[in-house]
Amino acid sequence: GAVVSQHPSWVICKSGTSVKIECRSLDFQATTMFWYRQFPKQSLMLMATSNEGSKATYEQGVEKDKFLINHASLTLSTLTVTSAHPEDSSFYICSAFGGINPYNEQFFGPGTRLTVL
Amino acid sequence: AQSVTQLDSQVPVFEEAPVELRCNYSSSVSVYLFWYVQYPNQGLQLLLKYLSGSTLVKGINGFEAEFNKSQTSFHLRKPSVHISDTAEYFCAVLNILTGGGNKLTFGTGTQLKVEL
């Protein structure tokens, strides 16, 4: 299958700082990337969908000013957690989807664990 | 939007025993179902998917699932598990959006713990 990477894999930051997480599709062009959040021992919750070159679509209840998503190229999307607080600590996972066939597989990154002190 | 329910949060099983992880989906005309596995501190890996065709779907690592329309179920099975199968398993349904695009909706997950 295709490879999706995330960087960093683990980040610890102080409350009030901003953190940027990168998601890259290494061997295919991702027309769409998804950002998920996963709390310990819970399921993945979709935060937003981003299409290359356009604004992200956020799920209900997700603050778009707090979770800034940029999908500037077909291989890179970034999620910036602005003014992070301890309650933002979570496991963030991205996935990438290529092509126009909606049944194409989403390929998942390995995740980024964010800890806010 | 379509949803899936995983009734079992944890399933303990002995090595080499068979296992079934249950998933039920909300009724719909067309449904596209997936099973993913997640190892600790890792992303998700696709085990198998059902889009159409044969109701028995075979996936990786010896897993299979059967799409049952009458029972609205898509249970995951493996005839003989290994210690390495210990992981979290998620059932998911693909929602095709009317404005274009799609999104996966996940169940709450089932922790499979294989014991010696």
Side-chain angles (χ1 to χ4, degrees), chain B residues 13-115:
Chain B
V13 63
F14 288 109
E15 193 174 32
E16 297 183 4
V19 70
E20 178 180 86
L21 306 183
R22 297 183 293 168
C23 174
N24 288 89
Y25 61 90
S26 56
S27 181
S28 178
V29 175
S30 296
V31 62
Y32 313 104
L33 297 161
F34 302 75
W35 274 101
Y36 287 88
V37 60
Q38 184 182 33
Y39 298 101
N41 294 311
Q42 295 186 29
L44 274 66
Q45 181 181 11
L46 179 66
L47 282 175
L48 48 81
K49 61 183 176 182
Y50 172 79
L51 300 181
S52 65
S54 174
T55 57
L56 182 62
V57 181
K58 293 191 182 296
I60 63 171
N61 301 343
F63 284 94
E64 64 181 33
E66 185 162 13
F67 175 72
N68 189 317
K69 192 172 182 178
S70 63
Q71 297 185 8
T72 61
S73 68
F74 189 56
H75 300 334
L76 181 71
R77 301 186 183 101
K78 186 169 183 177
S80 176
V81 296
H82 301 287
I83 289 287
S84 59
D85 292 322
T86 295
E88 189 82 18
Y89 292 79
F90 292 98
C91 182
V93 62
L94 183 68
N95 284 287
I96 306 298
L97 306 178
T98 53
N102 65 80
K103 68 177 186 178
L104 282 171
T105 300
F106 290 88
T108 49
T110 297
Q111 174 67 40
L112 174 64
K113 186 173 182 181
V114 181
E115 302 168 349

Side-chain angles (χ1 to χ4, degrees), chain A residues 8-50:
Chain A
S9 57
W10 195 295
V11 58
I12 300 173
C13 70
K14 292 182 179 180
S15 185
T17 60
S18 295
V19 174
K20 180 184 283 188
I21 302 170
E22 293 186 348
C23 176
R24 292 182 185 273
S25 58
L26 299 184
D27 50 5
F28 70 103
Q29 293 186 326
T31 51
T32 304
M33 286 184 169
F34 302 87
W35 286 96
Y36 297 86
R37 183 173 182 177
Q38 185 180 30
F39 289 107
K41 299 192 183 300
Q42 294 188 27
S43 188
L44 280 74
M45 300 301 296
L46 181 65
M47 299 174 66
T49 303
S50 73

Side-chain angles (χ1 to χ4, degrees), chain A residues 86-114:
Chain A
E87 58 266 29
D88 298 323
S89 298
S90 189
F91 194 52
Y92 292 88
I93 302 175
C94 74
S95 70
F97 169 89
I100 60 173
N101 185 339
Y103 311 109
N104 283 352
E105 181 179 344
Q106 285 186 31
F107 296 97
F108 286 81
T112 296
R113 184 161 302 282
L114 170 63

